[in-house]
């Protein structure tokens, strides 16, 4: 934030009188937060209209996006927006894999890639019986595919690949 070479601003919409909103009766915390984001987006649009800048709300929440569009805001799903950027086709590979709309996909729609984790009880019993060893994980700074675990059972760090 303090780097003068960067060109962005931070708006604390919870502490700004033009963008703060109260939670409505029977409104969930998530719905209130979505509405606050739309209010802040609208405020930015009004505040910067003299600069002829497009303000865009990126969200994978279909309901939030629909409400934003109904309110006259430009809103897109993140994947669709990134795909539309000219000369930035490689950015799509950096996005996480998701359903078309985050809030409509269920656990049953997801492909299981890894076995489930052990229960806390199984982990504690495994550590107690020395089947498993407890340690501290440290990610490698040089290689994102590697890390090390330090644990008292071994003199040296254990390499994880």
């Amino acid at each position: 934030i303090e780097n003068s070479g960067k060109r962005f601003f931070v708006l604390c919409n919870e502490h700004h009188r033009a963008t703060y909103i109260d939670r409505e009766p029977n409104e969930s915390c998530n719905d209130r937060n979505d509405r606050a984001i739309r209010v802040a987006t609208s405020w930015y649009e009004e505040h910067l209209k003299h600069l002829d800048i497009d303000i865009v709300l990126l969200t994978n929440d279909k309901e939030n996006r629909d409400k934003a569009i109904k309110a006259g805001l430009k809103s897109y799903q993140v994947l669709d927006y990134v795909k539309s950027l000219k000369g930035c086709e490689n950015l799509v590979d950096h996005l996480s894999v998701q359903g078309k709309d985050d809030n409509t996909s269920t656990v049953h729609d997801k492909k299981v890639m890894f076995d489930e984790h052990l229960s806390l009880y199984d982990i504690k019993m495994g550590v107690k019986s020395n089947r498993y060893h407890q340690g501290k994980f440290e990610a490698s700074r040089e290689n994102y595919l590697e890390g090390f675990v330090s644990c008292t059972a071994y003199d040296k760090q254990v390499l994880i690949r």
Side-chain angles (χ1 to χ4, degrees):
I1 293 175
E2 295 178 7
N3 185 343
S4 60
K6 303 289 182 179
R7 297 183 54 171
F8 65 90
F9 298 92
V10 176
L11 170 70
C12 296
N13 61 316
E14 293 295 319
H15 303 288
H16 192 284
R17 70 175 154 214
T19 58
Y20 175 81
I21 58 168
D22 286 320
R23 188 170 164 193
E24 294 178 351
N26 300 322
E27 184 176 41
S28 72
C29 291
N30 187 57
D31 289 342
R32 184 235 173 246
N33 189 48
D34 288 348
R35 190 166 52 90
I37 291 168
R38 292 190 304 273
V39 168
T41 303
S42 180
W43 179 84
Y44 261 117
E45 198 170 64
E46 180 64 28
H47 186 70
L48 300 174
K49 69 181 175 185
H50 66 282
L51 297 175
D52 197 31
I53 296 174
D54 284 338
I55 304 300
V56 178
L57 172 61
L58 298 178
T59 179
N60 287 335
D61 184 329
K62 183 178 181 348
E63 186 179 338
N64 190 23
R65 192 169 54 254
D66 291 344
K67 287 179 180 179
I69 292 169
K70 186 177 179 182
L73 301 172
K74 289 184 181 178
S75 183
Y76 301 99
Q77 182 184 12
V78 176
L79 178 63
D80 293 339
Y81 183 77
V82 171
K83 280 183 176 179
S84 75
L85 298 173
K86 305 263 189 281
C88 298
E89 293 78 17
N90 61 331
L91 290 179
V92 173
D93 294 338
H94 295 278
L95 298 176
S96 64
V97 178
Q98 311 173 6
K100 182 67 177 159
D101 289 301
D102 254 0
N103 59 340
T104 59
S105 60
T106 64
V107 173
H108 304 292
D109 298 336
K110 309 268 186 204
K111 177 182 168 189
V112 176
M113 295 178 66
F114 302 101
D115 293 334
E116 290 186 25
H117 295 286
L118 297 172
S119 69
L120 182 59
Y121 175 79
D122 290 338
I123 293 171
K124 285 182 178 181
M125 294 307 293
V127 169
K128 193 172 188 178
S129 68
N130 287 328
R131 180 175 180 189
Y132 306 125
H133 299 285
Q134 187 172 357
K136 177 184 171 189
F137 174 75
E138 299 173 36
S140 171
R141 293 184 205 176
E142 291 79 29
N143 185 346
Y144 71 95
L145 297 174
E146 293 181 349
F148 300 91
V149 175
S150 303
C151 95
T152 57
Y154 300 102
D155 293 335
K156 296 182 178 180
Q157 290 182 322
V158 179
L159 173 65
I160 307 293
R161 286 191 172 154

